[in-house]
């Protein structure tokens, strides 16, 4: 679909993260959490679910000699690294309770912040937990514990200091029953397929796992969410309808050698459409709802509906925002 005006989209996150959190909980349940008790939810009053006022949060100094957790245990299984006895109540409640540590400002000895403010995506994850029936304000009554540290993008992390923060958490205990969220692991030049922060026995809900780094029956593999298409409503198109192209590549940021090969194939086969990022706006920003081939503009991801196949090439990370 060609267009002449540039569209803008306002992403909406909450529904996605509510579903994401529910899927993670269900995955943990299927690995064994519910095998020890009946299946029902306790509908009691879970108290206030609002985060602490940012003005009242405490500051913690991370010293250079603060302890660091062990490297992530690659052999963790549900039966070896998870304490199921934190997941049941004497009163017969079967609700899986999840606790989020209070907001805390972590700084180094020079007063420089160790962690960045929460991204909107991570704030939505925490909000989804707080507004769910699984949330509890009692740390020691919780089955799962979530640190309030935004680990979604490893590029934003100071690895050693972040690991030291984890080790200082009140209920860390080698990371047992702690749940960490990450979507973009690794960094240049290796781009490892799992979060490089030392985390001992903590569960990782992450995007970009490989068959070597994923701990089957323990970690939770989640999709890398693309906020740019959160509010896109594609028109219905029957699979019986004729498509304009056999294949479309709308991926940006791929290696130049791959793009050269694709352009060469597209020059020989007109049923392959290779698109790239359009020219920037006057202020230097990009409209990511558009893809371009020369001067021709196509609305993204709508253009994918005009193709029988959509080509996605492996990038530096296994987990990608590409559709």
């Amino acid at each position: 679909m060609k267009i002449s005006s540039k569209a803008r989209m306002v992403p909406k996150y909450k529904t996605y993260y509510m579903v994401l959190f529910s899927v993670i909980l269900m995955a943990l349940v299927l690995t064994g959490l519910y095998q020890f008790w009946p299946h029902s939810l306790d509908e009691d009053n879970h108290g206030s679910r609002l985060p602490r006022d940012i003005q009242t949060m405490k500051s913690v100094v991370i010293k250079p000699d603060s302890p660091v957790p062990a490297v992530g245990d690659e052999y963790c299984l549900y039966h070896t690294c998870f304490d199921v006895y934190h997941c049941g109540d004497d009163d017969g409640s079967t609700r899986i309770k999840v606790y989020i540590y209070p907001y805390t400002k972590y700084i180094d000895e020079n007063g420089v912040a160790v962690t960045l403010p929460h991204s909107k995506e991570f704030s939505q994850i925490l909000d989804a937990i707080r507004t769910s029936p699984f949330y509890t304000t009692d740390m020691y009554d919780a089955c799962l514990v979530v640190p309030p540290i935004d680990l979604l993008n490893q590029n934003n992390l100071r690895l050693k200091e972040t690991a030291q923060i984890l080790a200082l958490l009140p209920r860390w205990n080698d990371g047992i029953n702690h749940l960490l969220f990450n979507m973009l692991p690794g960094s240049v030049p290796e781009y490892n397929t799992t979060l490089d922060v030392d985390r001992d026995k903590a569960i990782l809900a992450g995007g970009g796992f490989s068959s070597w780094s994923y701990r089957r029956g323990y970690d939770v593999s989640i999709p890398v969410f693309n906020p740019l298409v959160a509010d896109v409503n594609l028109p219905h198109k029957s699979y019986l309808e004729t498509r304009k192209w056999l294949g479309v590549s709308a991926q940006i940021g791929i290696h130049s050698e791959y793009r050269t090969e694709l352009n060469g194939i597209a020059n020989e086969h007109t049923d392959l459409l290779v698109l790239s990022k359009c020219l920037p706006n006057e202020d230097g920003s990009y409209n990511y709802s558009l893809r371009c081939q020369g001067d021709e503009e196509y609305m993204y991801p709508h253009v994918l509906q005009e193709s029988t196949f959509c080509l996605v090439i492996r990038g530096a990370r296994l987990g990608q925002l590409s559709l």
Side-chain angles (χ1 to χ4, degrees), residues 68-72 151 153-155 157-160 162-163 166 180 182 184-200 204 213 317:
V68 178
V71 177
L151 305 173
N153 187 346
Q154 183 174 310
N155 290 336
L157 304 179
R158 294 167 60 175
L159 299 183
K160 178 184 176 183
T162 302
L166 294 177
L180 311 179
N182 169 255
L184 298 177
S187 57
V188 293
E190 293 89 359
Y191 286 107
N192 292 330
T193 58
T194 187
L195 183 67
D196 287 327
V197 174
D198 294 338
R199 59 189 184 280
D200 212 337
L204 183 62
S213 59
R317 290 185 171 96

Side-chain angles (χ1 to χ4, degrees), residues 28-39 78-79 82 84 87 96:
L28 292 171
V29 168
L30 292 176
T31 58
L33 289 181
Y34 270 8
Q35 63 182 320
F36 295 97
W37 56 78
H39 299 222
Y78 168 76
H79 297 288
F82 191 86
V84 71
C87 302
I96 299 176

Side-chain angles (χ1 to χ4, degrees), residues 14 17-19 21 123-133:
K14 187 168 183 179
Y17 286 114
M18 283 294 292
V19 173
F21 180 63
S123 296
Q124 290 287 344
I125 290 176
L126 297 184
D127 185 60
I129 297 173
R130 289 193 184 93
T131 56
S132 75

Side-chain angles (χ1 to χ4, degrees), residues 11 40 58-59 81 110 133 183 197 204 212 214 217 219 226 268:
S40 65
K58 65 178 181 179
S59 295
C81 294
N110 298 319
M183 288 190 180
V197 174
L204 183 62
W212 296 101
Y214 177 69
D219 288 327
N226 187 346
E268 298 178 5

Side-chain angles (χ1 to χ4, degrees), residues 46-62:
H46 309 310
S48 175
R49 291 167 177 169
L50 296 176
R52 282 186 180 180
D53 190 324
I54 192 171
Q55 300 298 325
T56 63
M57 68 179 178
K58 65 178 181 179
S59 295
V60 175
V61 177
I62 305 300

